[in-house]
Structure formats: C-alpha cells, structure tokens
Amino acid sequence: METKTKQLKKTLLIWYKKNKRTFSWRETKDPWKILLIEILSQQTQIERADTYYKKFIKEFPSPTSMSNSSLKKVLTIWSGLGYNNRARRLYESSKILAENGFDKIYPDFEILPGVGQYTKNALLSFAYGEKVLAVDTNVERIFSRFFGIDNTKDFIKDNSDYFLKKVNSRELNQAFMDFGSYICKSSNPKCDICPLEITCSKYFFEKNNSIEKFRGSNRELRGKLLKLLLENNKIKRDEIYIKIDEKEEKIEKALHGLEKDNLIILKKNIIEINSN
Ligand code: SF4
C-alpha cells in the first residue's frame, strides 16, 4: 500500500506541474478570496465559478465590504449562478468575519454558515498551509478507483498523514481537483491517457472487458499479483503460490509478463516491485 500511495502522490504532482489550470485565486493565501471561490464553486463548474469570483472580488474585496453592503446587492451579483441559499450564507458569513476576522475563529471555520468539512480543510490548506486533505467527491472517486476500495472515507482518514508526508498540501489538493476534472472524471474517465493506469485498480479490473471475460484471464491474474506485490513490496515465490489460487505455471507466466513490462523484479525466490 505504501508503494502505491507513493506512486499516486508522485504521479499526480508530476501531472499537475504540466497540466495545472491557472486562476488568480490559486496563488493567494487570503482566506476571504479562498472562501469566496470555494462557496462559488460548490455545485458549479470551476470556470463558471471563476467568472463570478472576478465580479465578487471586485465588488467585495473584504468581508467588511460585503457586510456593509446588502443581501440584495449580493444576490444581484450572484444572479444566474443558482442555489441562492449559498449567496445568503456567504452574506451571513461576511457579517461574522467582519466582526471577528478569520484569525479569531481559526481553525473553527465550520461556524461560518455554508462551511462544511471540505471548505474548512480548503481554508486550512490554501490559506494556512496546513497538512490536511480537502476531501470532496473528486478525491473520493480517485481514491476509490485507484485503490479499488468502497469505504473511501475511513481509508482516507486512516492514511491521510502518510499521504501528506513530505508534500505541499496546497499543491496536492489542487492536483486532485484538476486531475478529477480532466482525467479521472465521474463519467468516462480518460484511462487511456491516465498516468496512473498501470497501477490503477479500476483500470485493471474494468477496462475493455466485461467481468465474465475478465474472470480467470491472464490480465486478472496480473492485477492480483501486482496488488499483492504493492501491498508487500517484496514477497517469496512460495507465498505467492499459497496466496493466489491459481496453477503455478499460470502464475509464472503472469509474473514474467509483469517483469517484461518493468513492473516487478524476479529474483531466485523473491519477487519485488520495481520502484525505479
Ligand atoms: S486509470 Fe482511469 S480510473 Fe484509474 S485513476 Fe486513471 S482515469 Fe481514474
């Protein structure tokens, strides 16, 4: 699991460096700007939310400027975005913030109307540089598919410290956001151009095959073997024979295939994952 987690982090950050979307609020540490874009982008495509963000930040550069204005004015600028309750909550938040400031309520941002765990973590990561994951549906989907798990909430909770080790959480959270929008989309994920496809559980188990066709195939066996090796890093041949319910000759064929693809290293009695 450790190797697989490392691969996900590394690959995601490399992909992000080459493909990241540029928005003015991406570079800021101003919590008001971050709160604004987070509220605007709830249930709204990021490009569309960005258009509204520009209007909002021009009119309300601070919580005080919004709180001194009126709900009617906020709703007028919000017009066309839908889910008007979000505008009302944003206005109420500006009142609280004008009186207290972000630093006074830090880290309890969930006291602001409309701020849940995701937005709280986004504020902690983007504005305060804290090592937290802002877990939204994008992150859950990528974890679920890549690791082949259903209970992503518990999995992320148990592994987030390790996952955030030695990385900039701000970059990692933004990488998840963009990767989930462009590559690992909710429908029709672009597995064919995905840099994670070699180790992705979903890719191994679903791509181009019905379950029936897949069962008992060499590809299924390769997936099982790779999963076992990623969980253990290295493993004795005899152990593989015990753990994988398949004929030894089929296992050997699959192992040699994985070695040919540079995914594993075959030694006399030990098989290890190729982390180079
Ligand atoms: S291979 Fe497909 S399912 Fe797996 S992470 Fe990439 S896009 Fe998502």
Side-chain angles (χ1 to χ4, degrees):
M1 191 60 71
E2 203 177 301
T3 313
K4 202 163 168 170
T5 307
K6 219 189 269 175
Q7 278 179 345
L8 175 57
K9 276 199 293 194
K10 205 172 145 192
T11 312
L12 214 57
L13 289 171
I14 292 171
W15 178 89
Y16 177 66
K17 275 205 173 76
K18 287 189 205 148
N19 300 284
K20 68 174 162 186
R21 295 176 288 189
T22 316
F23 296 110
S24 62
W25 39 264
R26 276 253 155 115
E27 307 307 325
T28 189
K29 288 190 175 163
D30 178 342
W32 174 241
K33 290 180 177 169
I34 292 159
L35 179 67
L36 260 183
I37 188 62
E38 288 301 334
I39 302 275
L40 287 165
S41 60
Q42 285 167 6
Q43 292 139 326
T44 303
Q45 270 201 335
I46 202 72
E47 286 79 8
R48 186 163 155 74
D50 184 53
T51 310
Y52 278 80
Y53 168 82
K54 285 174 185 146
K55 293 189 221 170
F56 266 92
I57 207 64
K58 195 170 169 212
E59 192 68 37
F60 308 119
S62 65
T64 311
S65 55
M66 184 179 282
S67 74
N68 286 339
S69 180
S70 63
L71 177 59
K72 191 177 166 206
K73 180 86 190 264
V74 173
L75 283 168
T76 306
I77 301 176
W78 189 278
S79 173
L81 201 54
Y83 305 99
N84 290 331
N85 262 345
R86 285 188 289 155
R88 188 179 45 73
R89 290 196 208 106
L90 179 63
Y91 181 65
E92 287 165 8
S93 291
S94 76
K95 297 259 176 215
I96 298 171
L97 289 166
E99 206 179 315
N100 299 283
F102 277 93
D103 290 351
K104 250 193 192 165
I105 61 168
Y106 165 92
D108 304 317
F109 301 123
E110 67 275 20
I111 66 161
L112 299 170
V115 171
Q117 190 63 46
Y118 168 78
T119 308
K120 174 182 172 170
N121 282 4
L123 279 164
L124 289 173
S125 169
F126 301 146
Y128 293 85
E130 295 202 6
K131 285 202 172 288
V132 285
L133 274 181
V135 180
D136 65 352
T137 48
N138 274 326
V139 178
E140 286 190 10
R141 185 174 62 250
I142 296 166
F143 267 91
S144 164
R145 287 173 174 171
F146 182 73
F147 290 100
I149 46 170
D150 292 327
N151 191 348
T152 41
K153 280 197 171 56
D154 283 353
F155 180 84
I156 293 171
K157 209 164 105 195
D158 293 347
N159 291 283
S160 63
D161 281 353
Y162 177 75
F163 204 76
L164 287 157
K165 215 157 98 186
K166 295 189 190 159
V167 291
N168 177 326
S169 80
R170 184 189 175 90
E171 257 195 20
L172 188 67
N173 281 316
Q174 289 176 347
F176 269 119
M177 210 188 284
D178 287 2
F179 191 76
S181 299
Y182 280 147
I183 304 290
C184 198
K185 303 187 294 174
S186 56
S187 52
N188 302 321
K190 295 181 178 169
C191 301
D192 292 348
I193 57 162
C194 176
L196 294 169
E197 50 92 12
I198 286 182
T199 41
C200 175
S201 301
K202 177 180 161 56
Y203 181 81
F204 266 109
F205 287 98
E206 289 179 10
K207 189 176 174 278
N208 294 335
N209 279 283
S210 69
I211 304 257
E212 280 69 29
K213 205 172 159 192
F214 185 69
R215 272 189 200 133
S217 69
N218 184 50
R219 218 163 58 80
E220 182 192 36
L221 186 52
R222 279 169 59 102
K224 279 185 189 169
L225 287 165
L226 200 56
K227 190 162 179 266
L228 186 66
L229 278 153
L230 284 165
E231 282 164 4
N232 293 277
N233 233 0
K234 60 168 80 169
I235 189 163
K236 285 185 180 159
R237 234 188 191 92
D238 292 348
E239 257 182 84
I240 294 184
Y241 293 156
I242 293 168
K243 288 187 173 159
I244 303 278
D245 185 19
E246 192 50 87
K247 285 182 189 155
E248 286 184 16
E249 63 201 56
K250 275 189 95 176
I251 292 178
E252 283 304 320
K253 187 182 163 207
L255 284 174
H256 281 90
L258 288 170
E259 186 194 38
K260 212 171 150 199
D261 292 342
N262 286 324
L263 292 170
I264 61 167
I265 299 166
L266 292 181
K267 294 186 176 165
K268 203 174 171 201
N269 282 319
I270 303 275
I271 324 287
E272 31 180 275
I273 200 82
N274 187 354
S275 353
N276 297 323

